Amino acid sequence: MTPEQLQLALELFEEACDLSPHERVALLDSRCNGDAAVRARVEAMLRDDEAPSGVLSSDARGVGAEFLAAEIASEHSHPEQIGRYRVVREVGRGGMGVVYEAEQDNPRRRVALKVIRDGFTSRQLVRRFEQEAHILGQLEHPGIARVYDAGSAHIGNSEWPYYAMEYIDGPPVHMFVHEQRLSTREILELVARICDAVQHAHQRAIIHRDLKPANVLVIEHGTTVATGSSIVSDGIGQPKVVDFGIARATDTEQFESIQTQTGRSLARSPT
Amino acid sequence: MEPDRNRQPEMPPPADQQQATLLLERISAGQGEAANELLPMVYDQLRGIAGSYFRGQRPDHTLQPTALVHEAYMKLVRASDTDWKSRAHFCAVAATAMRQILRDHVDAKRAVKRGGGNAKRADLDVDQITTPSGKDTLDVMALEDALTALHQASERQGRIVELIFFGGLEVAEIAEVIEVSERTVARDWRTARAWLNTELSGASA
């Protein structure tokens, strides 16, 4: 229905409300301009008006609020436990999945759990995730968020692959630069640190494939991290590249060929 | 999907409360533009409250109609401020916020669907959900589209539906908020309800 048709339907309904059945027919005959859709709609509206049957049948006050709250709440629902991790809260959500903050008991640490809720729940995918995590787990650099583990979680009736990564409590790099009002020199230094991290991976034949500001988080000056590997004493901050290689791990079409290549190159000792 | 920093709007600091109360006073005094400033505060608050229901922070996981708005009101506005008119104005802002949440929610859903490509999506987000009181099921996207269409055809009717549906306002309160007679509100609602019912039931497409 076009906006014009809708407008006409609303108008005619209002007028028809006060009329007798006979007069209603006459009104619709003269005013619908032969538009059967408008006429059918007004008639349906009048029927509904006499005996409301739709979602807004009874007291509609606050129904939308109630409904929306349930919808939002279902978005926020999360399993209490995923694998060996206790889920604390949801920290991010995108087209591909959900990121949770979670805790592990042994070793005791905070992790970011990235659960891929993408529909590929085959054994094959889960296996691939485990392989990827193994490869990515070898990336050890203060500028790269560590991948600890991969597995699959039962959520509802499905099995969802997940990664457990080092939890980074910091803003994305573009926000960090803005908030801290870094000078050009400091920004360049920060970029150099990001380059060091990326270089480290490239030397091990691992490419990120989705490098963007949102995937570079920065730990502010003086913050200690769980791994204890880096305490930065200047005000520039320690960048942490996250989601290394994950774009590829979830890319089904390209995966098979690349996986063999990567596997081969990683069989060598790192240069 | 970067982890964001913990910005839970659970307990707004007193400064926020003062500001919200002041803004509400301005709205009640006829300065409608103050609603634009209050809106983001209410939006955050509503999202936070709704989220907490499912994070196991509540003993019971049900929401009574308008309980959400009421809770946001109690948290954002000084408790001593119980004037029914300002409460109505608050609910009106909350209704706008919820409409915005619905729109954002639907946008996000559509983005996920578009991004699908040849990927088979799991039926994780149920488009059809049942309201907690078990009344009926509503299709989120159909509802959003219907509200948008109604708003285009008749801005006032669209607004009235928002105020009733999301804000939980009574006819008298709506008349106060949008400054028309109660008779007009009742008439508009009757028309809007009939149209939405036929539109959402798909009976006369």
Side-chain angles (χ1 to χ4, degrees):
Chain A
M1 204 167 238
T2 66
E4 292 75 29
Q5 282 178 312
L6 171 54
Q7 224 158 1
L8 180 61
L10 296 176
E11 260 171 49
L12 290 176
F13 172 84
E14 259 191 64
E15 285 185 44
C17 272
D18 301 329
L19 302 177
S20 68
H22 229 73
E23 291 167 322
R24 286 178 179 183
V25 175
L27 175 80
L28 295 179
D29 282 344
S30 69
R31 298 274 305 280
C32 282
N33 310 326
D35 191 331
V38 170
R39 181 171 194 137
R41 175 52 69 98
V42 176
E43 284 167 350
M45 285 169 70
L46 288 166
R47 275 196 303 278
D48 181 84
D49 186 57
E50 267 155 39
S53 58
V55 281
L56 309 180
S57 49
S58 50
D59 185 5
R61 284 192 307 125
V63 166
E66 184 188 9
F67 157 75
L68 196 59
E71 177 83 9
I72 296 168
S74 73
E75 245 182 28
H76 281 77
S77 72
H78 61 68
E80 284 185 12
Q81 191 87 20
I82 294 179
R84 72 192 81 163
Y85 306 98
R86 196 167 48 253
V87 177
V88 177
R89 65 184 183 109
E90 181 183 318
V91 289
R93 177 178 285 263
M96 207 174 66
V98 187
V99 183
Y100 298 115
E101 178 189 339
E103 286 169 347
Q104 184 182 359
D105 279 335
N106 195 14
R108 190 161 183 82
R109 61 188 171 192
R110 203 149 62 121
V111 303
L113 271 189
K114 185 162 194 158
V115 181
I116 311 296
R117 296 178 142 191
D118 196 42
F120 299 106
T121 54
S122 64
R123 278 308 314 163
Q124 197 196 357
L125 178 81
V126 175
R127 212 170 37 247
R128 186 204 310 167
F129 261 68
E130 285 159 2
Q131 287 168 357
E132 283 295 324
H134 181 70
I135 294 166
L136 298 172
Q138 298 170 20
L139 286 179
E140 216 173 319
H141 189 276
I144 297 174
R146 283 295 304 270
V147 171
Y148 299 131
D149 177 27
S152 57
H154 289 279
I155 300 174
N157 296 322
S158 309
E159 205 176 353
W160 307 99
Y162 69 83
Y163 282 105
M165 284 174 290
E166 181 182 352
Y167 184 86
I168 310 296
D169 190 9
V173 64
H174 57 296
M175 282 171 63
F176 178 82
V177 166
H178 185 73
E179 282 169 12
Q180 303 288 318
R181 298 169 191 275
L182 294 191
S183 68
T184 307
R185 177 171 292 275
E186 288 168 327
I187 292 170
L188 288 173
E189 174 57 31
L190 192 60
V191 170
R193 287 176 190 179
I194 297 168
C195 292
D196 282 346
V198 173
Q199 169 78 352
H200 175 84
H202 287 179
Q203 282 171 344
R204 282 151 190 80
I206 298 172
I207 52 173
H208 189 288
R209 299 220 4 179
D210 194 18
L211 207 51
K212 57 186 178 187
N215 276 338
V216 181
L217 307 179
V218 184
I219 298 175
E220 282 170 47
H221 164 68
T223 313
T224 51
V225 287
T227 53
S229 59
S230 64
I231 301 167
V232 185
S233 56
D234 54 37
I236 298 167
Q238 173 64 60
K240 289 274 187 181
V241 182
V242 301
D243 279 3
F244 233 103
I246 286 174
R248 191 197 61 218
T250 52
D251 185 340
T252 8
E253 279 176 24
Q254 305 207 30
F255 174 70
E256 297 305 335
S257 59
I258 295 169
Q259 189 232 3
T260 27
Q261 287 168 19
T262 316
R264 204 181 307 131
S265 57
L266 278 164
R268 298 197 305 263
S269 59
T271 45
Chain B
M1 283 208 298
E2 69 276 9
D4 62 17
R5 278 182 299 173
N6 195 350
R7 288 203 190 93
Q8 296 296 334
E10 287 294 289
M11 284 300 269
D16 271 12
Q17 267 186 25
Q18 275 179 15
Q19 203 197 341
T21 309
L22 274 175
L23 286 169
L24 197 54
E25 279 163 10
R26 280 174 53 199
I27 299 169
S28 305
Q31 295 179 45
E33 70 281 357
N36 295 334
E37 285 177 63
L38 185 58
L39 184 61
M41 299 171 76
V42 178
Y43 182 104
D44 284 351
Q45 192 62 232
L46 288 172
R47 278 216 78 109
I49 295 169
S52 71
Y53 272 85
F54 230 93
R55 289 194 295 267
Q57 293 166 12
R58 308 295 168 111
D60 65 288
H61 284 196
T62 55
L63 261 183
Q64 295 305 312
T66 71
L68 183 64
V69 176
H70 177 72
E71 196 170 330
Y73 182 70
M74 297 307 283
K75 280 189 168 166
L76 266 178
V77 181
R78 277 204 300 267
S80 58
D81 193 352
T82 47
D83 171 32
W84 75 270
K85 282 185 182 173
S86 44
R87 194 175 184 286
H89 282 288
F90 181 86
C91 293
V93 174
T96 310
M98 277 194 263
R99 180 68 211 289
Q100 186 63 47
I101 292 171
L102 177 69
R103 199 175 293 134
D104 293 347
H105 184 85
V106 166
D107 284 351
K109 261 187 169 162
R110 292 208 164 114
V112 168
K113 290 201 167 179
R114 271 197 302 275
N118 58 356
K120 190 164 71 69
R121 297 272 152 192
D123 191 20
L124 197 95
D125 295 306
V126 249
D127 292 341
Q128 296 272 345
I129 75 151
T130 310
T131 54
S133 53
K135 278 174 194 151
D136 273 296
T137 51
L138 274 178
D139 184 307
V140 193
M141 296 190 197
L143 175 66
E144 166 56 24
D145 289 345
L147 289 177
T148 303
L150 182 63
H151 221 272
Q152 277 166 4
S154 166
E155 207 177 315
R156 196 176 65 206
Q157 282 181 17
R159 182 65 181 146
I160 288 171
V161 170
E162 275 175 20
L163 293 173
I164 291 175
F165 204 58
F166 295 116
L169 292 184
E170 314 244 9
V171 170
E173 293 171 319
I174 295 169
E176 159 73 20
V177 168
I178 64 172
E179 297 170 330
V180 296
S181 71
E182 291 187 27
R183 201 172 154 271
T184 303
V185 174
R187 208 182 159 85
D188 273 357
W189 168 240
R190 186 179 175 185
T191 306
R193 185 185 63 182
W195 183 74
L196 282 171
N197 272 341
T198 53
E199 181 71 7
L200 293 173
S201 69
S204 100

